[in-house]
Amino acid sequence: EVQEIAAGLKTAGPFLRGTSPVRSGLAIHMSSTASFVFGCQPMTNGFRYQEQLASAYRPLLEAQLRPDMVDPAADLGSYKVVVSPFLPWIGESGLQARLKTWIEGGGTWVAGPMTDVRNGDGAKYTHAPYGVLEKWMGVRCRYQIPAQPRQFAIRWQDGSQQNGSCWYDGLDPRGCNVLARYVEGPLEGLAAVVEKKIGRGRVILLGTMPEQAGFTTLIKSICSSAGIEPVAEASPNLVVAPRSGKGGRGWVVVEVHNTGGRVVLPKPARDLLTGRQLEGEVTVAPYGVHVLKF
């Protein structure tokens, strides 16, 4: 296996050295500060930051949206959509001010749940449940309920219904568009997901984390409206990484679940590892790897 990997790196080396990963325009915030805050005060029973963050990242990766994981200090200029789940303090590294400018310039920010609910010392705000989100969104957070011991259903604008998870903020919309409402329990009738246009951009606030299918559908719709589409038509167990640069343009395709999969090529490509010319739908073997140059 070591010899096989070494031979592959040697064969594909010029292409890999001459190219860089292509950013999709989608990013997800991850924060060591958030990890420390939730480690000290989980806020809901059994909450583990890394696991919850992975539950937001993994479905987008499987949908071939290729999100970047970025620190709050990262520059947002190359992104069109930024998702910030479980980011209790948005003042980290001056993020709050930079976010406002980026949104007003045309960016789309998906915030929550459990975002903007603590200050830099990990303390709750005294003026409101959120630091600035009520003011930004034109909304009032009426109630907050941890997702224990039960879950509550939400209904989207198209009539589809599913459970929320993790945390429940009951939102009273006073100047924003409602995308989903609670349909049962003590929050029935209150908004679960709201949207507000700010400048040339917009903010979508999640009062709860929708189930995976609903979350994926929501983010895909948001990305599509921002001009971000899946990088490939491929099985969810494939990592498809576009690369581009002086060395040309192509994909690195890796099967990660040991089950095999398929990917559809937009144009004929040469597999640098085997020298074969491939086109159309390509079958990828369990743990298979292809370095494709278009």
Side-chain angles (χ1 to χ4, degrees), residues 33-34 37-38 41-44 47 49 84-92 96 109 111-134 141 143-145 166-171 205-208:
T33 300
V37 170
F38 286 118
Q41 43 178 314
M43 303 186 198
T44 183
F47 184 92
Y49 175 70
S84 303
F86 320 114
L87 191 65
W89 180 40
I90 66 170
E92 183 179 350
Q96 178 179 315
W109 185 38
M114 302 165 79
T115 292
D116 189 35
V117 294
R118 294 292 186 273
N119 65 20
D121 298 315
K124 296 182 70 173
Y125 292 102
T126 57
H127 67 281
Y130 302 130
V132 297
L133 276 174
E134 283 192 334
C141 182
Y143 307 104
Q144 295 183 303
I145 302 177
C166 187
W167 186 264
Y168 298 93
D169 282 344
L171 307 173
L205 174 59
L206 305 180
T208 185

Side-chain angles (χ1 to χ4, degrees), residues 70-294:
V70 299
D71 186 86
D75 179 66
L76 303 178
S78 60
Y79 299 106
K80 298 177 181 178
V81 177
V82 174
V83 184
S84 303
F86 320 114
L87 191 65
W89 180 40
I90 66 170
E92 183 179 350
S93 302
L95 176 62
Q96 178 179 315
R98 291 186 291 110
L99 263 175
K100 188 72 177 300
T101 301
W102 174 79
I103 295 165
E104 290 174 339
T108 298
W109 185 38
V110 183
M114 302 165 79
T115 292
D116 189 35
V117 294
R118 294 292 186 273
N119 65 20
D121 298 315
K124 296 182 70 173
Y125 292 102
T126 57
H127 67 281
Y130 302 130
V132 297
L133 276 174
E134 283 192 334
K135 180 179 179 181
W136 284 12
M137 298 297 296
V139 70
R140 183 185 178 194
C141 182
R142 295 287 300 275
Y143 307 104
Q144 295 183 303
I145 302 177
Q148 298 289 342
R150 59 163 294 188
Q151 297 177 327
F152 301 105
I154 62 175
R155 180 179 294 122
W156 297 94
Q157 287 178 321
D158 64 2
S160 62
Q161 186 169 310
Q162 62 185 183
N163 284 333
S165 68
C166 187
W167 186 264
Y168 298 93
D169 282 344
L171 307 173
D172 180 7
R174 300 182 173 188
C176 57
N177 182 37
V178 177
L179 301 183
R181 291 185 182 274
Y182 296 103
V183 295
E184 62 174 342
L187 303 180
E188 182 177 358
L190 291 175
V193 182
V194 295
E195 174 188 46
K196 174 77 171 184
K197 187 172 178 59
I198 300 177
R200 294 193 289 114
R202 59 175 175 157
V203 178
I204 292 91
L205 174 59
L206 305 180
T208 185
M209 177 57 75
E211 289 180 343
Q212 180 172 320
F215 179 71
T216 303
T217 298
L218 174 66
I219 302 301
K220 286 181 71 174
S221 174
I222 292 169
C223 285
S224 182
S225 65
I228 301 171
E229 299 295 342
V231 299
E233 182 184 341
S235 303
N237 57 313
L238 297 186
V239 173
V240 180
R243 299 181 68 89
S244 182
K246 293 181 179 179
R249 189 170 65 87
W251 290 348
V252 176
V253 180
V254 183
E255 198 285 318
V256 295
H257 290 173
N258 196 29
T259 57
R262 54 175 285 278
V263 59
V264 178
L265 306 184
K267 58 194 297 187
R270 184 165 64 93
D271 187 345
L272 299 182
L273 299 182
T274 64
R276 292 177 55 201
Q277 191 77 6
L278 303 175
E279 59 181 302
E281 183 173 309
V282 175
T283 299
V284 182
Y287 287 151
V289 178
H290 296 274
V291 180
L292 304 171
K293 185 175 182 180
F294 295 119

